[in-house]
Structures are given as structure tokens and as C-alpha cells.
Amino acid sequence: MKKMLNEIYIVKQNDTIDLIASKYNINPISILLYNNITPKMISKGKVLFIKK
């Protein structure tokens, strides 16, 4: 069984999905799909998993 390596990111005040994606140099849509969320669900303190 393969282990998936993920980065955990905790959303900060004023973060947007685009800003978070740019920090990891990935497509914002991939973050939304990987976490099964919509942009409106992004709020301070939310835990996101970033696929490496």
C-alpha cells in the first residue's frame, strides 16, 4: 500500500484559495477537489490537505 504524503495547511485570516495555491505552486482547483470543498468553505482555522 502506498502512503500519500500530504502537507497540512491551516487557513489564516484573509487567505484565499488562489493565495494558498500560489504558496505551493499548484492549481487552486486541485486544492478544492482534493479537500472536497468550494471556495466559500475557506475560512480562518480550516485545515486543508495539500497533495505533494
Side-chain angles (χ1 to χ4, degrees):
M1 185 164 128
K2 287 185 182 179
K3 270 191 174 179
M4 285 193 186
L5 299 176
N6 297 308
E7 178 93 17
I8 294 174
Y9 183 81
I10 299 173
V11 178
K12 297 173 184 68
Q13 183 89 21
N14 300 321
D15 272 350
T16 64
I17 198 67
D18 291 326
L19 181 65
I20 297 165
S22 70
K23 288 180 183 183
Y24 291 96
N25 197 30
I26 58 176
N27 187 320
I29 300 297
S30 65
I31 295 174
L32 297 173
L33 292 173
Y34 194 65
N35 288 276
N36 196 29
I37 59 172
T38 65
K40 291 182 180 183
M41 297 170 79
I42 302 292
S43 60
K44 181 180 175 187
K46 175 107 177 137
V47 176
L48 298 176
F49 296 98
I50 309 295
K51 188 174 181 180
K52 288 187 169 187

